[in-house]
Amino acid sequence: MELKVTTLDGKESGSVTVSDAIFGLEPRTDLIQRCVVWQLAKRQRGTHEVKNRAEIDRTGKKMYRQKGTGSARHGSARVNLFRGGGRSFGPHTRSHEIGLPKKVRALALKHALSAKAKDGGIVVLDKASVKDGKTRQLASRFE
Protein backbone atom coordinates (compact mmCIF):
# COMPACT_ATOMS: atom_id res chain seq x y z
CA MET A 1 0.00 0.00 0.00
CA GLU A 2 1.24 3.48 -0.86
CA LEU A 3 0.88 6.50 1.44
CA LYS A 4 1.66 10.06 0.36
CA VAL A 5 4.46 11.90 2.14
CA THR A 6 3.73 15.59 2.69
CA THR A 7 5.74 18.55 3.93
CA LEU A 8 4.68 20.95 6.66
CA ASP A 9 3.53 23.38 3.97
CA GLY A 10 1.02 20.81 2.69
CA LYS A 11 2.86 19.98 -0.51
CA GLU A 12 3.41 16.45 -1.69
CA SER A 13 6.99 15.23 -1.49
CA GLY A 14 6.77 11.60 -2.51
CA SER A 15 5.30 8.37 -1.25
CA VAL A 16 6.16 5.56 1.11
CA THR A 17 5.26 1.89 0.90
CA VAL A 18 3.66 0.34 3.99
CA SER A 19 2.88 -3.26 4.75
CA ASP A 20 -0.41 -4.64 3.49
CA ALA A 21 -0.44 -7.04 6.44
CA ILE A 22 -1.01 -4.04 8.75
CA PHE A 23 -2.56 -1.28 6.64
CA GLY A 24 -4.30 -3.30 3.93
CA LEU A 25 -6.83 -5.33 5.90
CA GLU A 26 -10.58 -4.99 5.55
CA PRO A 27 -11.55 -3.35 8.90
CA ARG A 28 -13.56 -5.48 11.30
CA THR A 29 -15.63 -3.30 13.60
CA ASP A 30 -16.31 -6.13 16.04
CA LEU A 31 -12.62 -6.48 16.90
CA ILE A 32 -12.13 -2.73 17.24
CA GLN A 33 -15.22 -2.50 19.47
CA ARG A 34 -13.98 -5.32 21.72
CA CYS A 35 -10.64 -3.58 22.13
CA VAL A 36 -12.27 -0.22 22.93
CA VAL A 37 -14.54 -1.82 25.54
CA TRP A 38 -11.49 -3.56 27.05
CA GLN A 39 -9.56 -0.28 27.25
CA LEU A 40 -12.44 1.65 28.82
CA ALA A 41 -13.19 -1.08 31.37
CA LYS A 42 -9.51 -1.30 32.32
CA ARG A 43 -9.45 2.46 32.87
CA GLN A 44 -12.15 2.40 35.57
CA ARG A 45 -10.75 2.75 39.05
CA GLY A 46 -13.40 0.83 41.00
CA THR A 47 -12.63 2.55 44.32
CA HIS A 48 -16.26 3.06 45.40
CA GLU A 49 -17.11 1.30 48.63
CA VAL A 50 -19.65 1.38 51.45
CA LYS A 51 -19.69 -0.24 54.87
CA ASN A 52 -21.97 -3.18 55.55
CA ARG A 53 -23.38 -3.95 59.00
CA ALA A 54 -20.29 -5.92 60.01
CA GLU A 55 -18.02 -2.93 59.37
CA ILE A 56 -20.07 -0.29 61.25
CA ASP A 57 -18.53 0.85 64.54
CA ARG A 58 -21.56 0.40 66.79
CA THR A 59 -22.52 -2.07 69.44
CA GLY A 60 -24.23 -5.32 68.64
CA LYS A 61 -26.16 -5.27 71.92
CA LYS A 62 -29.93 -5.41 71.82
CA MET A 63 -31.23 -1.82 71.80
CA TYR A 64 -33.91 -2.35 74.46
CA ARG A 65 -35.87 -5.19 75.93
CA GLN A 66 -38.14 -7.25 73.73
CA LYS A 67 -41.46 -6.68 75.47
CA GLY A 68 -43.23 -3.99 77.41
CA THR A 69 -41.88 -0.87 75.70
CA GLY A 70 -44.64 -0.41 73.14
CA SER A 71 -42.02 -0.09 70.41
CA ALA A 72 -41.07 -2.50 67.68
CA ARG A 73 -38.65 -5.29 68.49
CA HIS A 74 -35.10 -4.43 67.48
CA GLY A 75 -31.73 -6.06 67.87
CA SER A 76 -28.51 -4.45 66.71
CA ALA A 77 -28.27 -0.73 65.91
CA ARG A 78 -25.95 -1.53 62.98
CA VAL A 79 -28.70 -2.73 60.66
CA ASN A 80 -29.48 -0.80 57.49
CA LEU A 81 -32.89 0.22 58.88
CA PHE A 82 -31.34 2.80 61.20
CA ARG A 83 -29.55 6.06 60.48
CA GLY A 84 -25.83 5.37 60.72
CA GLY A 85 -26.32 1.69 60.02
CA GLY A 86 -24.71 -0.36 57.29
CA ARG A 87 -25.73 -0.49 53.67
CA SER A 88 -27.40 -3.70 52.47
CA PHE A 89 -25.96 -4.55 49.07
CA GLY A 90 -23.71 -1.59 48.41
CA PRO A 91 -20.73 -1.33 46.08
CA HIS A 92 -17.30 -2.71 47.04
CA THR A 93 -13.84 -2.09 45.67
CA ARG A 94 -13.19 -4.30 42.67
CA SER A 95 -11.49 -4.36 39.31
CA HIS A 96 -13.73 -3.80 36.29
CA GLU A 97 -11.07 -5.18 33.95
CA ILE A 98 -12.07 -7.81 31.42
CA GLY A 99 -9.72 -10.17 29.64
CA LEU A 100 -8.66 -9.76 26.04
CA PRO A 101 -5.90 -11.94 24.56
CA LYS A 102 -2.75 -10.25 23.25
CA LYS A 103 -3.26 -11.62 19.76
CA VAL A 104 -6.77 -10.16 19.60
CA ARG A 105 -5.42 -6.78 20.84
CA ALA A 106 -2.73 -6.79 18.16
CA LEU A 107 -5.24 -7.77 15.48
CA ALA A 108 -7.61 -5.00 16.61
CA LEU A 109 -4.77 -2.47 16.32
CA LYS A 110 -4.01 -3.67 12.79
CA HIS A 111 -7.68 -3.32 11.83
CA ALA A 112 -7.86 0.16 13.36
CA LEU A 113 -4.77 1.24 11.41
CA SER A 114 -6.28 -0.28 8.27
CA ALA A 115 -9.49 1.68 8.84
CA LYS A 116 -7.50 4.91 9.28
CA ALA A 117 -5.50 4.25 6.13
CA LYS A 118 -8.67 3.47 4.17
CA ASP A 119 -10.31 6.75 5.30
CA GLY A 120 -7.17 8.75 4.55
CA GLY A 121 -6.67 9.60 8.22
CA ILE A 122 -2.95 8.80 8.24
CA VAL A 123 -0.63 11.67 7.37
CA VAL A 124 3.07 10.99 6.78
CA LEU A 125 5.36 14.01 7.25
CA ASP A 126 8.85 14.12 5.82
CA LYS A 127 10.18 16.39 8.57
CA ALA A 128 8.39 18.16 11.45
CA SER A 129 10.82 20.90 12.36
CA VAL A 130 10.90 24.69 12.13
CA LYS A 131 13.83 27.09 12.14
CA ASP A 132 13.32 28.81 15.50
CA GLY A 133 11.81 25.80 17.24
CA LYS A 134 8.72 27.75 18.31
CA THR A 135 5.46 25.92 18.97
CA ARG A 136 3.34 28.71 17.49
CA GLN A 137 5.04 28.36 14.11
CA LEU A 138 4.64 24.58 14.14
CA ALA A 139 0.96 24.86 15.13
CA SER A 140 0.27 27.34 12.35
CA ARG A 141 1.90 24.98 9.86
CA PHE A 142 -0.25 22.08 11.06
CA GLU A 143 -3.37 24.14 10.43
Side-chain angles (χ1 to χ4, degrees):
M1 176 177 243
E2 293 279 326
L3 292 177
K4 295 176 187 175
V5 178
T6 58
T7 62
L8 275 178
D9 298 326
K11 298 174 183 162
E12 202 172 310
S13 69
S15 64
V16 65
T17 305
V18 292
S19 173
D20 282 336
I22 297 174
F23 293 95
L25 300 172
E26 189 61 37
R28 283 183 52 189
T29 55
D30 62 323
L31 282 178
I32 297 171
Q33 191 263 347
R34 276 184 70 187
C35 194
V36 168
V37 167
W38 168 77
Q39 287 176 343
L40 293 177
K42 193 173 67 137
R43 193 164 64 179
Q44 288 187 10
R45 296 196 44 179
T47 55
H48 51 295
E49 186 166 20
V50 296
K51 291 184 179 181
N52 60 22
R53 64 183 288 181
E55 297 164 338
I56 297 292
D57 191 23
R58 284 181 119 174
T59 182
K61 182 181 178 295
K62 192 166 175 63
M63 294 179 68
Y64 44 78
R65 60 196 182 107
Q66 179 90 349
K67 292 182 154 301
T69 61
S71 298
R73 0 176 231 199
H74 291 299
S76 173
R78 295 184 214 167
V79 295
N80 60 348
L81 190 66
F82 294 117
R83 186 175 181 281
R87 176 97 184 263
S88 294
F89 297 104
H92 286 284
T93 302
R94 68 184 183 93
S95 172
H96 295 275
E97 190 173 357
I98 55 174
L100 192 65
K102 282 184 183 178
K103 289 184 179 181
V104 176
R105 284 185 245 162
L107 191 59
L109 179 61
K110 289 177 185 176
H111 282 278
L113 289 172
S114 296
K116 279 283 192 188
K118 190 174 182 182
D119 296 342
I122 295 178
V123 177
V124 181
L125 287 175
D126 60 346
K127 191 171 20 171
S129 63
V130 288
K131 291 181 182 177
D132 298 337
K134 293 290 186 180
T135 307
R136 180 179 290 174
Q137 293 176 350
L138 192 61
S140 65
R141 292 268 179 94
F142 280 147
E143 288 174 4

